[in-house]
Structure formats: structure tokens, C-alpha cells
């Protein structure tokens, strides 16, 4: 959904903007996105850093990926032979502009370490 800076006009017709805004203001989602802006992290690192339950974090990460707010930065195999997935935020900042005429949600792309295919 988000491969460059995006601006959404919040109104009845724009369901994407409403969904994004709702998700970003959710306590779990907010913590996950904030935790992964600078560095990619595993689910366990995100949980430990933010004192979040693992099952809820997996569900939120899946939703944030589907909305285009997170991506899989890399996958490694640990010493036990298990696949470990590192997630990173696609957004660097969010700005909400309120005035008498409209409400605008602006999302700025996270340029730091984005894969070439996402940043183009």
C-alpha cells in the first residue's frame, strides 16, 4: 500500500485513511511501529521491549504488514535451525492535520534501510 510518502484525506469515502488512523492509534500497533522505525526486530525483541504478549503481537504485526506499515526486513536461521523474521516500519513519521475544511493524514516513508524494491 505505501511505497512512497502518502497523504490521505480523512472522510466517509476514504476507508483506507480511517483504517490506518485507527490502527496507528491502537496501543499495541503504535508500540510495534515505534519500536521498528530505527532498527528491524524480531517478534520476541518487540515483545520484550514493549512488554507485549506474543500472540497479540503476532496478530498486530500481520495486520500492520497487510496495511503496508511494516515489512519483513530479513530472515535468518538461528543456531537451532529455526527461521527468525525481522520486521521494520515502512513509515518514519505520521502527521495529522486538522482544520475546518478537512482532516489529512500524512505518512512519511522510512528511508533508512528500505529494500530497493520498496523504496522505488
Amino acid at each position: 500500500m505505501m511505497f512512497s510518502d502518502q497523504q490521505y484525506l480523512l472522510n466517509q469515502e476514504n476507508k483506507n485513511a480511517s483504517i490506518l488512523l485507527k490502527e496507528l492509534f491502537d496501543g499495541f500497533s503504535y508500540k510495534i511501529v515505534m519500536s521498528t522505525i530505527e532498527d528491524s526486530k524480531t517478534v520476541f525483541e518487540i515483545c520484550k521491549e514493549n512488554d507485549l504478549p506474543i500472540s497479540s503481537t503476532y496478530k498486530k504485526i500481520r495486520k500492520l504488514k497487510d496495511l503496508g506499515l511494516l515489512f519483513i526486513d530479513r530472515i535468518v536461521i538461528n543456531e537451532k535451525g529455526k527461521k527468525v523474521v525481522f520486521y521494520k516500519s515502512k513509515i518514519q513519521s505520521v502527521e495529522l492535520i486538522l482544520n475546518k475544511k478537512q482532516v489529512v493524514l500524512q505518512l512519511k516513508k522510512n528511508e533508512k534501510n528500505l529494500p530497493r524494491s520498496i523504496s522505488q
Side-chain angles (χ1 to χ4, degrees), residues 39-101:
D39 300 309
S40 59
K41 296 180 181 166
T42 67
V43 171
F44 295 106
E45 290 172 327
I46 294 167
C47 290
K48 186 176 179 183
E49 183 178 297
N50 295 288
D51 195 29
L52 300 173
I54 291 174
S55 61
S56 300
T57 303
Y58 272 112
K59 289 177 190 173
K60 284 296 181 180
I61 284 174
R62 187 177 326 114
K63 190 168 190 177
L64 291 166
K65 275 183 53 201
D66 290 345
L67 289 171
L69 298 173
L70 283 185
F71 71 98
I72 295 174
D73 185 39
R74 67 186 189 278
I75 299 172
V76 299
I77 305 299
N78 68 12
E79 62 279 351
K80 295 180 181 179
K82 301 251 184 203
K83 180 172 73 168
V84 180
V85 180
F86 287 79
Y87 297 94
K88 186 153 177 66
S89 172
K90 284 188 185 179
I91 59 171
Q92 181 177 339
S93 64
V94 177
E95 186 175 351
L96 184 64
I97 302 165
L98 303 168
N99 61 42
K100 290 182 181 183
K101 295 181 182 179

Side-chain angles (χ1 to χ4, degrees), residues 1-2 6-23 67 96 102-107:
M1 177 188 278
M2 288 183 28
Q6 296 286 325
Q7 182 170 321
Y8 295 93
L9 182 63
L10 296 173
N11 57 34
Q12 296 278 346
E13 294 80 40
N14 194 341
K15 299 292 183 200
N16 284 341
S18 297
I19 292 168
L20 285 172
L21 188 61
K22 181 180 176 187
E23 199 59 43
L67 289 171
L96 184 64
Q102 62 188 5
V103 178
V104 179
L105 180 64
Q106 289 184 287
L107 304 173

